[in-house]
Amino acid sequence: MIRAGLFAILVGLVGAAVLHIVIILALPSFTGLDAYTRLATYDAPNRFIIFGDKPDEMGFSNGDPYLRTAACVFDVGERPMHLMAAGSVPFWSFAVYDSSSNEVFSMNDRSAAGGDLDAIIASPQQLAAIRKTNPDVISESVLIEMPRPEGYVVLRALSPSPSFEEPAKEFLMEASCEVYEG
């Protein structure tokens, strides 16, 4: 009898803990405070928004004193997106997220051909069409398949000292997040 009571209490506590964790993790999507929703309020689709050192009105900032950060909201429902960036920064990285903030893809300059960012984000059908009509694109660009049409890209450039500040800002300002025309 005591064993059954202790088991019931233990199951209740574990169930309550799991329920609380699920609620906490799901809360941003219910409140509209998730990253995608906040980035979409900038009303700047298909272009990078560069963040400052201090949090802006949506709460975005560089977050790290040695990294400069930019983000681009996109929708591949109609057309694929083409990301490009080049410059002389000691390190850069980018990550692609879907509209639920699930990371779809990430890479950095160490794994990029020639050290420049050249990626195409598309739906599975769009990627199949690109491969069929332009087979050379596989050797030129990184192809990223999106499970959902909407998402965002976060691009970061390393600025380890004041002398790298200007190249990092130029790298982000010249980065493009445009509709693929290939």
Side-chain angles (χ1 to χ4, degrees):
M1 187 73 129
I2 293 176
R3 231 183 200 171
L6 287 174
F7 181 72
I9 290 172
L10 182 63
V11 168
L13 288 173
V14 169
V18 169
L19 179 64
H20 279 82
I21 290 170
V22 168
I23 290 171
I24 288 169
L25 293 176
L27 196 59
S29 64
F30 293 128
T31 62
L33 296 178
D34 60 300
Y36 175 78
T37 304
R38 290 186 299 149
L39 283 170
T41 62
Y42 283 103
D43 196 30
N46 305 338
R47 72 175 182 87
F48 279 103
I49 301 157
I50 300 172
F51 303 128
D53 292 332
K54 304 261 191 242
D56 60 14
E57 65 277 355
M58 295 310 298
F60 291 108
S61 65
N62 285 319
D64 184 316
Y66 300 112
L67 286 176
R68 301 298 160 254
T69 309
C72 172
V73 175
F74 63 84
D75 183 350
V76 296
E78 305 268 331
R79 306 272 314 267
M81 296 300 299
H82 195 183
L83 306 175
M84 296 182 73
S88 58
V89 291
F91 176 82
W92 60 259
S93 70
F94 84 101
V96 179
Y97 299 89
D98 65 14
S99 59
S100 294
S101 297
N102 297 312
E103 185 173 351
V104 175
F105 184 86
S106 66
M107 76 180 262
N108 60 47
D109 63 334
R110 306 303 189 248
S111 54
D116 294 335
L117 169 59
D118 186 353
I120 297 172
I121 304 171
S123 70
Q125 298 84 4
Q126 292 166 340
L127 281 179
I130 290 169
R131 286 184 180 110
K132 185 177 180 181
T133 59
N134 190 358
D136 294 334
V137 78
I138 296 170
S139 65
E140 300 166 3
S141 302
V142 175
L143 303 178
I144 303 166
E145 184 176 311
M146 284 298 292
R148 299 179 182 170
E150 290 125 356
Y152 62 97
V153 176
V154 177
L155 178 62
R156 296 176 185 92
L158 182 66
S159 175
S161 66
S163 64
F164 286 103
E165 187 69 27
E166 202 55 40
K169 286 181 181 178
E170 285 178 28
F171 176 81
L172 295 176
M173 288 186 340
E174 293 175 8
S176 66
C177 176
E178 300 171 348
V179 172
Y180 178 66
E181 300 293 338

